[in-house]
Amino acid sequence: MNNKALVLVVEDDETICNFISAILTSNGYGIVKVSKGNDALSAAASHCPDVILLDLGLPDIDGTDVLKILRQWTGIPVIVVSARSHEREKVEALDLGADDYITKPFGTAELLARVRAALRRGQKDAGHLEPGEMSVGDLEINYEKRLIKLAGKVIHFTPIEYKIVVLLSRYAGKVLTHDFIVKEIWGPYTNEVQALRVNMANIRRKLEENPAEPKYIVTELGVGYKMAEEV
Ligand code: CA
């Protein structure tokens, strides 16, 4: 099993929310469900989803406002899901930075195709195209399949741990500051340095033979972390 792509489902209609969730979970996606705009913003920061399915008509703040705020700090692919079929709203959402638009009612195949396309775009935007994999020592990362192996054995990470490892691997050999990592993973409106430490401890338990003397991800004291280019 690989590290599941995580979809944040923002939808206040319980029936539709359950419909979407059932399709996604049965197709191997991890999901987080919220029914309010404010909860969507905090969940986007805390769960770091790979794709957001965003209903426009929400009970607290409008979906377009959620989108505006999201786009101030993240390029996470957003698929707007709405009953509104007016061309104007579709264009507005796309202008605000939505990646795609799906109109209710929609079918399983259409939903899955759009989520897959958004995931591919997200990987491209994050510079996750070249190369499709990297390796250092016994560690192998396949970005396309979201697989991380150590000595041929698949390692399971939480979505946030996975993102941290991938981020570091994309900059292997370069020291990334705590601030940089936190902003990339959780966004600028949080101060998750402690969460980063906790996640790093867990990553090392999974990745390092001796977590106290890590060889793949080294600590730059008081500065940040660096993934080794060779071990
Ligand atoms: Ca709604």
Side-chain angles (χ1 to χ4, degrees):
M1 203 186 77
N2 56 9
N3 293 285
K4 288 182 180 178
L6 188 68
V7 182
L8 172 60
V9 182
V10 186
E11 174 60 74
D12 62 321
D13 182 316
E14 212 184 320
T15 311
I16 296 171
C17 189
N18 290 338
F19 170 68
I20 294 174
S21 305
I23 293 171
L24 293 176
T25 39
S26 66
N27 282 276
Y29 294 99
I31 55 154
V32 175
K33 299 192 269 191
V34 297
S35 57
K36 288 185 181 155
N38 282 312
D39 295 342
L41 291 170
S42 53
S46 59
H47 292 278
C48 312
D50 297 288
V51 175
I52 299 175
L53 284 169
L54 177 65
D55 179 28
L56 285 184
L58 295 168
D60 53 349
I61 52 176
D62 197 75
T64 52
D65 291 324
V66 173
L67 186 57
K68 275 182 214 162
I69 298 167
L70 280 175
R71 280 298 175 255
Q72 289 169 8
W73 67 271
T74 180
I76 297 174
V78 173
I79 304 171
V80 166
V81 182
S82 181
R84 306 170 189 184
S85 54
H86 295 112
E87 204 63 16
R88 194 176 51 78
E89 273 144 354
K90 177 176 176 170
V91 171
E92 188 191 3
L94 293 171
D95 278 347
L96 286 171
D99 293 80
D100 203 352
Y101 192 97
I102 188 168
T103 306
K104 302 171 197 171
F106 49 83
T108 305
E110 185 184 5
L111 175 68
L112 289 172
R114 288 185 191 271
V115 168
R116 275 196 305 272
L119 273 171
R120 279 197 299 273
R121 262 197 308 278
Q123 286 173 346
K124 248 186 235 172
D125 290 349
H128 290 188
L129 255 202
E130 33 64 76
E133 50 194 5
M134 74 89 76
S135 68
V136 49
D138 287 335
L139 176 66
E140 292 168 65
I141 304 177
N142 185 316
Y143 303 109
E144 191 88 332
K145 294 183 182 159
R146 304 175 67 87
L147 272 180
I148 300 183
K149 289 184 186 177
L150 188 65
K153 209 169 154 255
V154 175
I155 314 179
H156 299 287
F157 289 106
T158 67
I160 287 178
E161 290 166 8
Y162 176 78
K163 287 193 175 75
I164 294 171
V165 174
V166 166
L167 177 67
L168 284 158
S169 75
R170 288 297 184 186
Y171 291 92
K174 180 171 159 46
V175 178
L176 301 186
T177 65
H178 296 127
D179 265 8
F180 178 82
I181 300 171
V182 165
K183 286 201 172 69
E184 287 289 313
I185 304 292
W186 285 276
Y189 301 124
T190 53
N191 181 13
E192 301 279 0
V193 174
Q194 187 51 32
L196 174 59
R197 289 209 178 84
V198 171
N199 276 282
M200 189 56 71
N202 292 331
I203 289 167
R204 282 176 167 157
R205 258 197 294 280
K206 298 175 184 181
L207 208 61
E208 305 281 355
E209 205 174 333
N210 178 0
E213 283 177 38
K215 57 179 188 173
Y216 291 109
I217 298 175
V218 296
T219 298
E220 301 287 331
L221 262 188
V223 178
Y225 300 99
K226 178 179 79 177
M227 182 170 283
E229 275 181 300
E230 48 189 32
V231 295

